[in-house]
Amino acid sequence: LEADLMHANPRKMPKHSKSLISLLASSDVRHVCEVGTYEAENAFWLAKEFPQARFVLVDPYVAVGQAHKHGPIGSLGHQEMAGILLKAVGAMQPFRERVEWRFAQDFQVANQYQDNTFDLVFLDSLHTRGSMDVSLPLWWPKVRPGGFYAGHDYASQMELVGKWGVKAAVEAFASGSNLPVQVLDGKVWAIKKE
């Protein structure tokens, strides 16, 4: 197990992590929540860049019978999901004292956090329109004023062929509250909470 954890760290920073780091560069980042951690690639780079920050990582790591961002998660067996979880835990091992793992669906844990808690809430879980319509209003109150609400896979190819609903859900949520949406490199959307 220890050998597996030693080799689980991501090697190359993805574009969406670079965009988030740039977005947060002038912020005093203390508390981050990532909803949909998967292999913890993004969380790893954020934890490395913001050593003072604490992280809440939310992902059930079980088959939920819905379309996952990387394909139908229901088709992944227990062994595959265990491997993904092992990779995530391995990636976050250097930061373990600053990480709170929440092995649950986001709607099961959102209300366990006080409003105005997080400097960043990053949504990268189920990308269906229905799932996003549930998650967006749940986590918005958890972002502190001056903080950012962001997510991944905005206007991706899967969106264009009708399999995902990230862009449509974000635009509906933002327009309903008259919130400007920034679109960043790496298919990241972001809203600053005033």
Side-chain angles (χ1 to χ4, degrees), residues 8 17 19 24 32 34 43 64 69 76 89 94-95 104 120 123-124 141 150:
S17 298
S19 289
L24 298 167
V32 173
E34 183 175 72
V64 294
K69 62 183 177 175
L76 296 177
V89 171
F95 318 109
L120 170 69
L123 295 181
D124 196 16

Side-chain angles (χ1 to χ4, degrees), residues 45-65:
W45 289 107
L46 292 177
K48 187 172 181 181
E49 184 67 26
F50 301 105
Q52 73 283 4
R54 300 193 59 77
F55 290 79
V56 173
L57 304 179
V58 181
D59 202 306
Y61 291 104
V62 295
V64 294

